[in-house]
Amino acid sequence: QVQLVESGGGLVQPGGSLRLACAVSGSIFGTHAMGWYRQAPGRQREWIATISSSGNKMYADSVKGRFTVSRDEPNNAMYLQMNALKPEDTAVYYCRASQIFPPYQEFWGQGTQVTVSS
């Protein structure tokens, strides 16, 4: 069973930065795609970034150029560096691990709140 724990959320002013971390229980980056999602109040959870098992990175248009996903394999951690934050980035941020072969299990963290406000 894979366990994911997010941290690093908080309150930041517009234009500021935060770095979120996702601590992973075990060495799974070679067998799982890792992603970041967010959910704002009253809205559906949306995908924002993925780092594949081979290290390829993809971003939603809404965060491209501002957010950077990375992983630290020796320390079993994934990060989301968020720059130039906007009030519309306010949401609960989740990390996800998706197995790349059958049975294609997926795992989620509990989320961390990010609030962008002056």
Side-chain angles (χ1 to χ4, degrees):
Q1 187 78 3
V2 175
Q3 293 185 321
L4 308 174
V5 179
E6 301 95 336
S7 61
L11 173 64
V12 63
Q13 291 187 342
S17 298
L18 279 177
R19 189 175 82 151
L20 305 183
C22 176
V24 183
S25 61
S27 302
I28 66 166
F29 294 137
T31 57
H32 291 69
M34 303 296 297
W36 286 98
Y37 292 70
R38 67 186 180 188
Q39 187 167 17
R43 301 188 66 175
Q44 290 190 332
R45 191 172 297 188
E46 65 169 335
W47 167 77
I48 56 174
T50 291
I51 182 164
S52 73
S53 58
S54 59
N56 293 323
K57 301 175 184 181
M58 293 168 282
Y59 300 93
D61 288 344
S62 58
V63 305
K64 197 174 295 183
R66 299 188 298 124
F67 291 10
T68 302
V69 62
S70 63
R71 66 189 188 193
D72 180 352
E73 294 191 44
N75 291 306
N76 295 327
M78 177 178 66
Y79 301 100
L80 185 68
Q81 178 66 43
M82 305 187 296
N83 299 327
L85 283 161
K86 306 174 182 180
E88 52 264 43
D89 294 318
T90 295
V92 178
Y93 284 70
Y94 299 89
C95 62
R96 175 192 181 198
S98 305
Q99 199 173 33
I100 60 172
F101 51 81
Y104 302 111
Q105 288 182 301
E106 63 176 45
F107 306 92
W108 292 88
Q110 83 290 347
T112 185
Q113 175 72 46
V114 171
T115 302
V116 185
S117 175
S118 54

